[in-house]
Amino acid sequence: MTKIKLLLLIIMTVVVSGCFPSNKSGKAEILLQGRTMGTTYNVKVVSTLEHVKSINLQQQIDDALKQVNQEMSTYIPSSEISQFNQSRTTEERVISEGFSRVLAESLRLGEMSHGKLDITVGPLVNLWGFGPEFRPEKVPSAALIAQTKAQTGLDNLSLTGNKLAKAKPELAVDLSTIAKGYGVDVVAELIEANGFTNYLVEIGGELRLKGVKSTGELWVVAIEKPITTERSVQQFIVPKDNAMATSGDYRNYFEEDGVRFSHIIDPDTGKPIKHNLVSVTVIHPSSMTADGLSTLLMVLGEEDGLAFAEKHQLAAYFISKSEHGFTEQFTVKFKQYLK
Ligand code: ADP
Ligand code: MG
């Protein structure tokens, strides 16, 4: 998550910091920005600046995100997840509510996909050079891949309520595929607890929105074109009161002999995925779930991913690379969100 991924361009009514159109009741879109999880966050609430300041909303957001990081960031050596990863005991330990909530959802999606979403792939992610450790100059040997793969596997992790244990001492958990989405949910819940009904929360491209803008119109967001050289819009989306997450490898890869290696690993092969699917966007009420599902569908690839999404009635949008550029496909449930 160190790499800043801004897949989504938020369409702002007026792109002037802190100054947005006021409506009849004097409310405007108040923008709060900061940094978290190796990327940026943008929050908009329809309110007045005085009110947002009086409740110290930005501080509340920063504190909540700090806690998420202290629980789930593999980049913080003292975090709860790092401690679990470093420990060499197979005895169960009591973990925080947030950590168990994200683990439970990750395991549910892992089971649902027969292990394609696998939060124990961390050692393989590192081996291929996309984790907290450094990037390899070349492709690892088959023996090393097999050896590293033997350290992984969802079967080696057990969660009972808020008690977590690993069956192999060296097993490590990597929540980078879902933690950003969870962070968005935490901020959205915090905003709702403060009484706001019209807001937008975005962390590194994952977002969740509710209600309307200060003008009374629905929030509109855009999926970016999957090209690395310039930023332009592929499709406008109106997600309504939902979260939207995108998984895509076109900004995060390394190349050897003209072959691109993605930062997403197929747990069955122990290798980065290699197919024509370049990005998957999922719309779901929970940002955490949308985030996990978008990666899961990315691992499955174009054909299996689309079949999986239809079978489970997911709202998903796929962009694939073809001879003639890019092609888009979406599920029946996604159609309603296209603008
Ligand atoms: P991003 O980090 O760019 O937002 P994703 O949400 O798709 O992208 O998550 C990708 C990250 O998830 C990788 O950087 C890696 O740490 C981790 N990962 C890679 N493959 C898998 C997998 N099969 N299951 C779970 N996590 C994975
Ligand atoms: Mg994801």
Side-chain angles (χ1 to χ4, degrees), residues 254-268:
F254 82 89
E255 205 167 310
E256 188 183 87
D257 299 335
V259 180
R260 270 173 167 224
F261 290 92
S262 156
H263 71 313
I264 294 172
I265 306 287
D266 182 343
D268 290 328

Side-chain angles (χ1 to χ4, degrees), residues 138-151:
K138 51 169 159 184
V139 175
S141 70
L144 194 55
I145 294 171
Q147 192 188 325
T148 311
K149 194 168 166 280
Q151 295 170 22

Side-chain angles (χ1 to χ4, degrees), residues 4-165:
I4 298 170
K5 185 186 76 172
L6 281 171
L7 281 174
L8 300 166
L9 177 75
I10 301 164
I11 305 305
M12 296 174 183
T13 30
V14 184
V15 196
V16 185
S17 171
C19 176
F20 299 92
S22 301
N23 58 22
K24 280 188 216 116
S25 57
K27 290 183 176 173
E29 284 156 33
I30 311 297
L31 174 67
L32 302 173
Q33 294 174 302
R35 294 200 63 84
T36 185
M37 303 181 180
T39 182
T40 53
Y41 74 73
N42 288 279
V43 170
K44 280 190 193 180
V45 285
V46 177
S47 183
T48 63
L49 194 57
E50 299 75 56
H51 178 61
V52 169
K53 280 194 170 154
S54 73
I55 58 165
N56 236 335
L57 189 61
Q58 180 123 35
Q59 192 61 50
Q60 288 191 52
I61 291 169
D62 286 332
D63 291 347
L65 289 171
K66 212 168 160 194
Q67 190 185 335
V68 173
N69 276 301
Q70 201 50 47
E71 289 169 356
M72 279 163 264
S73 170
T74 46
Y75 292 85
I76 301 176
S78 65
S79 70
E80 211 179 343
I81 195 170
S82 294
Q83 285 182 26
F84 175 77
N85 290 345
Q86 287 150 19
S87 100
R88 289 292 171 265
T89 172
T90 53
E91 270 167 41
E92 76 180 9
R93 62 167 67 208
V94 174
I95 58 168
S96 66
E97 198 203 317
F99 191 21
S100 34
R101 192 172 144 196
V102 178
L103 280 169
E105 182 61 357
S106 305
L107 294 173
R108 185 183 75 87
L109 297 178
E111 225 166 84
M112 193 174 154
S113 62
H114 303 287
K116 289 289 188 190
L117 189 80
D118 183 344
I119 52 166
T120 71
V121 292
L124 288 164
V125 174
N126 286 335
L127 180 69
W128 287 91
F130 296 104
E133 284 152 47
F134 36 131
R135 175 165 295 235
E137 301 75 52
K138 51 169 159 184
V139 175
S141 70
L144 194 55
I145 294 171
Q147 192 188 325
T148 311
K149 194 168 166 280
Q151 295 170 22
T152 69
L154 285 177
D155 296 348
N156 299 310
L157 198 65
S158 74
L159 178 76
T160 327
N162 62 345
K163 295 200 182 92
L164 181 67

Side-chain angles (χ1 to χ4, degrees), residues 1 3 5 7 75 115-122 125 130-131 174-178 180 204 206 246-248 252 263-267 273 291-292 294-296 298-299:
M1 286 192 295
K3 299 122 198 166
K5 185 186 76 172
L7 281 174
Y75 292 85
K116 289 289 188 190
L117 189 80
D118 183 344
I119 52 166
T120 71
V121 292
V125 174
F130 296 104
D174 166 19
L175 295 175
S176 10
T177 185
I178 198 163
K180 250 189 305 188
E206 317 300 2
T246 299
S247 177
N252 209 347
H263 71 313
I264 294 172
I265 306 287
D266 182 343
I273 50 166
D291 198 1
S294 63
T295 307
L296 185 166
M298 195 70 200
V299 181

